[in-house]
Amino acid sequence: MDRYNPKKIEAKWQKRWAKEQLFFAKDESSKPKKYILIEFPYPSGDGLHMGHMRSYVAGDAISRYWRMRGYEVMYPIGWDAFGLPAENYAIKHGVQPKVSTAKNIKHMHQQMDALGLSFDWSREVNTTDPEYYKWTQWLFLQFYKAGLAYEATGLINWCPKDKTGLANEEVIDGKCERCGTVVEKKELRQWYLKITAYAEKLIEGLKDLDWPEPVKIQQINWIGKKEGINIDYQIADRPEKVTCFTTRPDTNFGATFIVIGPEHPLLARQSVLQIEDKHWQQIENYKQKVAQTGELERTMENRQKSGVFTGLYCVNNLNDYHMPLYVADYVLGNVGTGAVIGVPGHDKRDFEFAKVFDLPVIRVVQKDKNDNDPITEPDQVQEDEGIMVNSDFLDGMDIHTATKEISNHLVKKGWAQKTISYKLRDWVFSRQRYWGEPIPLVHCEKCALQDPSGRGTVAVPDEDLPVKLPEVDKYEPTGTGESPLAAVEKWVNTKCPQCDGPAKRETDTMPQWAGSSWYWLRYSDPHNKKVFADKEKLAKWQPVDLYFGGMEHTTLHLLYSRFWNQFLYDQGLVTQPEPYLRRQPHGIILGEDGEKMSKSRGNVVSPDALIEKHGADAARMYQMFLGPHEAMISWNDRGIVGVSRFLEKIWRWANGPTQGTDSPTVTKALNKLIKKVGEDIEGIQFNTAVAAMMDFYNQVKNESVSPTLIKKFLQVLYPFAPHIAEELNEVLGGKTSLQLETWPEFDPAQIIDQQIKLVVQINGKTRAVVEVVADLGEAEAKTLALASAVVQKHLAGQSIRQVIYRPDRLINLVV
RNA sequence: GCCUGAGUGGCGGAAUUGGCUUUACGCGCACGACUCAAAAUCGUGUGGUCUCACGACCAUGUGGGUUCGACUCCCACCUCAGGCACCA
């Protein structure tokens, strides 16, 4: 018997699997399909890390399992290769992103092979391949043609380090998602995708998906749907009105002022509201001061309230109260209508503002009858639950009834409209960087003259796609808000596809999320040159049955790609409204010190090192044994020897002398194992599946076994440690790959125990365990229980008042 | 502040339609076998306190509650992790 040598056998089987093309998913297969997806990686110079490995190994095990269960499994792989690191590398080293990306892909491909991952390489895609981004551009144009891609100038998030605009989702804690730099606000012309048009559908669509509840909730909270009412307030002596959004119209009799944000259109010029000079001067100054304040600072809580009076008053139609109109930066221009009603008695922020400007505070809600004290301190401000007072026809109602009553009243009078507001903002879709898909539009001055919008933006015709990214010498972002592409005159200057006159290309590129917003669709039909994917092939493979990935994409990729899919579904271009039926997030793997793995900390453990030291099978299996797939885990190097030892034991066991017969213990244990492991794989509970296999070995190691039984065990082991399973199967005389075998069936009769252990409790405390035959009646059970000496001792002559009996489980004697 | 999760041995973690004396499986540790010796391997043990021992009692973040019986259900609180946040 040779020693277990992972390196040797793993290389052998990896070669053989590739040669036999065992993992290619066949479009024409008549088997039912399973589409297992992992988030395709960014081809980084650092190669695969633990997070990749965790997902890929899990996806691999479950793919191998479903293939054995008779499914045509698609487990594809590709490269999300546009993005900043390649570009920054290019700036530093002068290497073309195309070149460094190709190198990284080659390296990571080797790493994946070394792990024995059963990807279908015939479907490999790369987002930076013109054959791929041709369709990214084409899909963008579908949004454009449907009016869901638009150009606008506005204050957007700007990363001063990466020198590009960012979407809301890319700002974490006021910082750039990529580099951690504090984000600034910058006025820029940008392309937007109208994701807000799908806010409702994005919430609705989640209902029937088999996703973890927290992930759904996080998306729903991000979309932030709120039902409320827009109330119009007439400005006294002016024709204009101020519209305020509120979810608490019930408190309207307590309104004592109105606040609008400094960005509000009514403050764009002095002339709009005919504001008096002395007030306008202050407003101008205030606006300037606010513009210089960072977004992060401005939205800090407990910040001293500030503001300026406009000299104008708004009229509350309910009671003719004239409310002074203020400008203050605690009201944000992009939230609601950019104007709020000041109800200092029942909103903490309004109260703080009222204190600064010495505005009256009126109580309109009381907790109970005795709750009459004037509100003078912030902690007396009551924001929920209570009974209405000082509110005319609302008096005596609870706040919920009052909300309904007054809403109906205001709407009927024509003073307000019910409305729904969302926190979700439209998706800033242009970036001022080089390494991305060019936005396939052309700006034509001549056509602009004919265009009612005055823009003259013309879509590049389908037959001229892709608009290829030109090769340049300088990748540096300009920092002016213009993409480096703007400097490539030969590329920028083009002919207008509409009028044939001189025109300029759009020089912004798409964000890194563009290519990943549809890649799972392309896998269905990756080589199609006529359409982004053939509809029949989409129908064959979509939707994704199981999607592995990280929690960090909940409000990024997962939201964006659902939006694209829903839009394409509405356009009749895809066959499923939702792309991913089941989502399985993985926990972050921390370094051994409990900190996030990072090069600077020096706590990185690479898959390469594990494979080198213990072999791919042990590395895979340990990854699965570590803990629940979704749990955050601190890496621990020591434990892997346990898995290595287990594999070595299996090696010796299967290579050892085997007699012809299986003992009843062995047969039973195997049947139970088949059931348990199958259930655990389907439930993605690999850690307990591995434990069950170890337990199985402990039970059977000294028993007599047949080669047939060992072979069945190897089939169970195969999804986890495929190389050693294949090798041992061959040792036992197997001629074909285990991948072609079917998953063993268990015999239900073998699972049921004839003899069971009945727990005997006295007053709920377990005192004894007696062996009895299954399906025993209560009387017999009681007799058997009482026969136990231990039980007799604990009863010590006390009389039994009650007997609780759960067949095959326990009997509890209450004395 | 709000929304999610999670707190079980020295460590990673098992067990929740409430019930097989909490801690499966693995690591670590201790002792033993093999060996001249070591490694590897195999075997035994391993929550705490008290006890020579049989055994008793206490233990699933803390405090209550429901129940014949609670890691599991309910209430309050503490700690940690993730998300959101002057959101009207």
Side-chain angles (χ1 to χ4, degrees):
Chain A
M1 174 177 68
D2 290 336
R3 277 198 56 159
Y4 172 45
N5 182 347
K7 251 187 214 157
K8 199 171 132 200
I9 63 165
E10 285 168 7
K12 167 182 165 187
W13 285 99
Q14 283 157 13
K15 231 161 118 186
R16 197 144 142 200
W17 290 331
K19 197 176 136 213
E20 294 180 17
Q21 306 193 347
L22 288 173
F23 312 127
F24 284 11
K26 296 178 196 70
D27 290 330
E28 66 280 6
S29 170
S30 58
K31 296 178 191 171
K33 70 96 188 177
K34 284 273 180 197
Y35 185 176
I36 311 295
L37 185 66
I38 46 98
E39 284 168 355
F40 65 161
Y42 176 80
S44 152
D46 296 336
L48 289 184
H49 57 67
M50 279 298 170
H52 294 129
M53 184 176 166
R54 193 152 182 83
S55 276
Y56 303 172
V57 163
D60 187 69
I62 208 161
S63 294
R64 289 178 188 266
Y65 169 78
W66 284 120
R67 288 188 198 107
M68 289 176 98
R69 295 297 301 260
Y71 286 81
E72 191 66 33
V73 172
M74 175 155 78
Y75 186 41
I77 179 72
W79 310 97
D80 190 13
F82 274 127
L84 280 177
E87 192 176 334
N88 288 339
Y89 189 83
I91 291 167
K92 220 171 160 184
H93 299 98
V95 181
Q96 274 202 41
K98 212 165 69 178
V99 175
S100 58
T101 299
K103 189 177 148 219
N104 294 341
I105 286 176
K106 199 174 159 207
H107 174 223
M108 286 173 80
H109 186 151
Q110 282 166 353
Q111 290 183 297
M112 290 170 178
D113 284 345
L115 274 169
L117 299 174
S118 63
F119 289 128
D120 178 350
W121 287 97
S122 73
R123 291 173 188 264
E124 180 179 4
V125 301
N126 177 341
T127 55
T128 61
D129 179 352
E131 283 302 311
Y132 181 93
Y133 71 68
K134 169 182 177 177
W135 297 110
T136 310
Q137 292 175 335
W138 184 84
L139 291 165
F140 171 83
L141 288 178
Q142 305 315 302
F143 283 95
Y144 176 72
K145 287 167 185 169
L148 291 180
Y150 65 94
E151 206 181 3
T153 302
L155 274 183
I156 57 133
N157 303 302
W158 174 264
C159 173
K161 179 153 177 251
D162 290 336
K163 300 193 171 103
T164 182
L166 299 173
N168 254 18
E169 289 77 11
E170 292 172 299
V171 181
I172 316 280
D173 260 349
K175 292 174 194 148
C176 171
E177 186 246 352
R178 285 226 73 90
C179 68
T181 308
V182 174
V183 166
E184 297 171 355
K185 287 277 163 180
K186 190 162 180 162
E187 178 104 5
L188 266 189
R189 178 198 65 90
Q190 295 280 307
W191 283 93
Y192 290 82
L193 286 191
K194 204 167 186 167
I195 191 171
T196 52
Y198 277 76
E200 198 61 45
K201 279 192 178 177
L202 286 168
I203 294 173
E204 278 299 303
L206 286 172
K207 273 193 186 135
D208 302 320
L209 299 181
D210 181 12
W211 287 23
E213 215 49 40
V215 176
K216 288 190 189 182
I217 290 168
Q218 211 173 301
Q219 273 206 0
I220 289 169
N221 288 347
W222 182 261
I223 296 167
K225 180 179 177 177
K226 246 181 213 133
E227 293 183 35
I229 188 165
N230 278 345
I231 306 178
D232 299 323
Y233 295 101
Q234 184 64 50
I235 302 175
D237 309 319
R238 298 286 185 282
E240 282 78 17
K241 289 174 182 160
V242 178
T243 304
C244 300
F245 175 78
T246 180
T247 55
R248 292 293 305 277
D250 55 306
T251 60
N252 214 244
F253 284 96
T256 56
F257 57 95
I258 299 287
V259 188
I260 57 177
E263 303 87 354
H264 202 284
L266 288 173
L267 297 176
R269 285 176 307 278
Q270 183 179 8
S271 56
V272 181
L273 287 178
Q274 304 289 330
I275 294 172
E276 281 176 44
D277 287 340
K278 61 168 182 178
H279 292 299
W280 182 251
Q281 202 57 54
Q282 291 178 14
I283 292 170
E284 278 278 79
N285 290 342
Y286 188 71
K287 278 170 72 173
Q288 215 154 52
K289 208 183 88 195
V290 172
Q292 283 160 9
T293 313
E295 180 78 352
L296 196 65
E297 194 193 328
R298 179 170 166 189
T299 54
M300 283 234 285
E301 227 176 319
N302 302 326
R303 189 160 159 263
Q304 176 69 27
K305 292 284 178 291
S306 66
V308 181
F309 180 47
T310 60
L312 300 170
Y313 290 84
C314 295
V315 183
N316 190 345
N317 285 315
L318 291 169
N319 51 11
D320 211 34
Y321 190 101
H322 279 47
M323 304 175 285
L325 177 65
Y326 283 85
V327 185
D329 68 353
Y330 82 91
V331 173
L332 304 173
N334 58 359
V335 177
T337 58
V340 303
I341 312 160
V343 184
H346 303 284
D347 182 289
K348 278 217 170 74
R349 293 153 304 175
D350 294 348
F351 179 82
E352 287 162 10
F353 188 80
K355 278 287 131 187
V356 173
F357 291 90
D358 206 19
L359 295 157
V361 179
I362 302 174
R363 171 192 290 286
V364 288
V365 180
Q366 50 178 206
K367 246 184 289 183
D368 54 62
K369 286 240 164 65
N370 306 320
D371 184 21
N372 279 320
D373 299 335
I375 298 161
T376 54
E377 296 301 325
D379 57 5
Q380 292 168 335
V381 174
Q382 196 198 328
E383 295 183 324
D384 51 14
E385 297 312 316
I387 303 297
M388 305 307 302
V389 290
N390 302 326
S391 294
D392 199 315
F393 63 96
L394 299 177
D395 285 354
M397 296 179 189
D398 70 89
I399 61 165
H400 307 286
T401 316
T403 301
K404 270 181 223 148
E405 284 295 317
I406 192 153
S407 297
N408 292 338
H409 178 79
L410 291 170
V411 170
K412 215 153 89 190
K413 290 275 189 183
W415 298 334
Q417 316 86 43
K418 286 190 186 169
T419 181
I420 293 168
S421 99
Y422 297 94
K423 207 188 73 161
L424 187 70
R425 300 269 89 85
D426 274 342
W427 177 7
V428 174
F429 200 69
S430 40
R431 299 291 179 275
Q432 293 71 45
R433 298 287 304 222
Y434 169 75
W435 192 229
E437 301 88 345
I439 291 180
L441 294 170
V442 160
H443 299 279
C444 172
E445 282 183 26
K446 199 170 143 199
C447 293
L449 298 173
Q450 258 100 68
D451 186 350
S453 75
R455 293 190 182 278
T457 311
V458 182
V460 172
D462 290 359
E463 60 270 22
D464 292 345
L465 296 177
V467 174
K468 279 198 191 168
L469 197 54
E471 287 185 10
V472 299
D473 298 327
K474 287 183 72 180
Y475 304 97
E476 278 85 353
T478 60
T480 58
E482 222 178 18
S483 150
L485 291 179
V488 190
E489 280 182 38
K490 254 172 76 184
W491 182 82
V492 172
N493 291 312
T494 183
K495 269 187 197 167
C496 172
Q498 199 163 277
C499 70
D500 223 27
K504 286 185 188 303
R505 289 194 188 281
E506 169 63 56
T507 56
D508 280 355
T509 52
M510 298 188 202
Q512 63 175 128
W513 311 105
S516 60
S517 289
W518 69 286
Y519 78 110
W520 75 95
L521 298 169
R522 185 65 176 174
Y523 283 143
S524 301
D525 191 10
H527 308 297
N528 200 319
K529 290 199 190 296
K530 296 207 171 73
V531 287
F532 75 97
D534 177 74
K535 213 158 171 196
E536 261 178 49
K537 291 190 176 167
L538 286 172
K540 161 87 192 179
W541 294 110
Q542 305 297 322
V544 172
D545 292 284
L546 176 56
Y547 194 10
F548 288 94
M551 269 309 268
E552 70 275 15
H553 286 133
T554 302
T555 54
L556 286 161
H557 162 66
L558 233 40
L559 190 68
Y560 294 150
S561 57
R562 285 186 60 227
F563 163 49
W564 275 48
N565 194 87
Q566 287 186 346
F567 167 72
L568 297 176
Y569 180 73
D570 286 350
Q571 296 287 308
L573 294 169
V574 302
T575 55
Q576 298 288 330
E578 284 289 339
Y580 323 119
L581 286 188
R582 182 174 171 199
R583 169 75 179 182
Q584 181 57 245
H586 65 255
I588 302 168
I589 300 182
L590 303 172
E592 194 137 19
D593 51 5
E595 301 284 338
K596 218 175 160 180
M597 282 192 187
S598 73
K599 271 199 277 189
S600 57
R601 274 208 187 78
N603 59 355
V604 176
V605 181
S606 80
D608 294 346
L610 288 179
I611 295 171
E612 177 61 31
K613 207 164 162 196
H614 306 276
D617 282 334
R620 290 167 58 111
M621 227 174 163
Y622 184 51
Q623 181 68 261
M624 292 190 259
F625 186 56
L626 260 179
H629 189 77
E630 67 282 0
M632 180 165 46
I633 284 168
S634 292
W635 182 259
N636 167 357
D637 243 355
R638 284 163 297 163
I640 194 168
V641 301
V643 175
S644 279
R645 282 176 195 159
F646 169 69
L647 291 176
E648 274 169 33
K649 285 179 207 170
I650 296 301
W651 179 264
R652 287 195 295 267
W653 182 57
N655 270 301
T658 46
Q659 278 77 45
T661 54
D662 296 320
S663 75
T665 316
V666 173
T667 311
K668 183 164 240 162
L670 181 78
N671 277 283
K672 284 187 172 177
L673 181 73
I674 294 168
K675 179 167 187 281
K676 168 80 177 155
V677 173
E679 286 168 358
D680 278 354
I681 291 177
E682 289 181 36
I684 311 174
Q685 293 169 317
F686 301 122
N687 55 332
T688 48
V690 175
M693 286 186 265
M694 291 172 167
D695 200 25
F696 167 80
Y697 173 75
N698 291 341
Q699 283 179 58
V700 305
K701 61 188 168 188
N702 295 322
E703 301 277 334
S704 147
V705 288
S706 69
T708 319
L709 186 133
I710 294 179
K711 182 166 174 155
K712 278 192 182 173
F713 171 77
L714 294 174
Q715 289 171 351
V716 174
L717 178 67
Y718 172 77
F720 301 85
H723 310 87
I724 188 174
E726 292 271 35
E727 182 67 20
L728 290 173
N729 181 54
E730 198 177 67
V731 168
L732 291 176
K735 295 278 179 257
T736 56
S737 167
L738 281 171
Q739 185 65 88
L740 300 169
E741 309 263 352
T742 50
W743 183 258
E745 293 284 332
F746 63 86
D747 177 2
Q750 285 286 341
I751 304 292
I752 298 160
D753 290 308
Q754 299 302 311
Q755 285 288 115
I756 58 109
K757 287 173 182 154
L758 185 72
V759 176
V760 184
Q761 295 187 332
I762 294 164
N763 284 347
K765 259 195 189 323
T766 305
R767 292 301 183 185
V769 180
V770 291
E771 287 263 345
V772 298
V773 294
D775 266 334
L776 204 61
E778 178 169 338
E780 290 107 311
K782 191 178 165 189
T783 314
L784 280 169
L786 289 174
S788 155
V790 188
V791 173
Q792 278 304 325
K793 197 188 112 200
H794 281 278
L795 283 174
Q798 300 170 84
S799 62
I800 296 165
R801 277 194 295 140
Q802 195 190 349
V803 177
I804 288 148
Y805 181 56
R806 294 277 176 277
D808 296 350
R809 286 229 152 146
L810 65 77
I811 182 160
N812 188 7
L813 309 169
V814 187
V815 297

